Amino acid sequence: MDPLTDPAGGNLTTERLVLGTWSDEDAEGLFELSNDPEVMRHFHAMPTRDQVQNMVAKHRDNLAAGRPGLYAVRVADTATFIGFVGLSAAVFDAPFMPCVEVGWRLRRDAWGHGYATEAAGAALAHGFQTLGLDEIVSFTTVANEPSIAVMRRLGMHSDPAEDFDHPAVPEGHPIRRHVLYRLTADEWRARC
C-alpha cells in the first residue's frame, strides 16, 4: 500500500501505522526502548537521556523542514508509540558516503508483526517520491538477521565487497563488521 501524506501534519500513514512528528512522551518511550538490552543487542552502547532528547529534537526539526528524518511510529488503531522508522543522513566516514539511510528501532512487543517493513516501505516511498532521492541505503551488523530480512523484503540488495567496519564501533567489538544494502529510485519504481 502506498503511504498517504497528511499535508497539514506531515504524517505518513499505512494500513496499520501512523508515522509522525515527535511528542515529549514519544521521546520518553524512545529512551525506554533504547535502554532495553534485547532491543539494543546489535548496538555497542545504549544512549543517554540527553542523546535521545538531542536525536528527537534533530529529527523533529528535519521533518518540519522537509528533510530526511526519523518518524515516531504509532499503531493507528490505538495510537500506541512503538518506536521509530525513517530516513537519516549518515554522518561517518565510509566509501559509500554521502548517503541517506532508512532505519528503524521498535519495541520488543512490536516485533514479528511486519511493522518495520510496512513503515520502512512508507519511508522509502516518501524518500523517492517526495524528497526525490536517487538512492537509499541501510546497514547493520552482520549478525542482525531480523533487520537484514527487512532490508531484503524492501527489495534492497547487497554486495559482500561493500561490507565494512563501522568507524563508530570500537575495534575488536563483535558488532563492528556491517553489511550495506542499497535501493535506487529506479529499482524501487520497478517494484511498485
Side-chain angles (χ1 to χ4, degrees), residues 25-161:
E25 287 178 355
D26 296 335
E28 184 58 30
L30 179 60
F31 176 73
E32 289 173 14
L33 79 91
S34 296
N35 280 275
D36 177 333
E38 184 63 16
V39 170
M40 299 299 287
R41 74 185 184 279
H42 296 293
F43 293 84
H44 73 283
M46 293 184 200
T48 65
R49 191 175 301 278
D50 284 346
Q51 288 170 324
V52 168
Q53 291 290 346
N54 290 339
M55 185 185 103
V56 166
K58 171 187 165 184
H59 289 287
R60 188 183 288 154
D61 291 347
N62 285 349
L63 293 172
R67 294 187 300 261
L70 300 176
Y71 291 92
V73 179
R74 296 174 193 84
V75 177
D77 290 346
T78 63
T80 302
F81 172 79
I82 60 170
F84 73 71
V85 175
L87 304 174
S88 181
V91 291
F92 58 87
D93 187 30
F96 54 89
M97 294 296 170
C99 72
V100 173
E101 172 197 15
V102 61
W104 47 86
R105 185 179 307 159
L106 301 179
R107 293 183 347 201
R108 267 193 283 170
D109 61 355
W111 295 357
H113 300 282
Y115 292 148
T117 304
E118 184 175 325
L124 288 174
H126 177 71
F128 291 132
Q129 292 176 326
T130 305
L131 301 180
L133 300 173
D134 293 326
E135 180 181 63
I136 298 173
V137 304
S138 194
F139 45 84
T140 189
T141 183
V142 296
N144 190 349
E145 283 298 326
S147 282
I148 292 170
V150 171
M151 294 171 198
R152 290 177 180 149
R153 283 193 294 273
L154 293 169
M156 304 183 92
H157 53 85
S158 68
D159 177 349

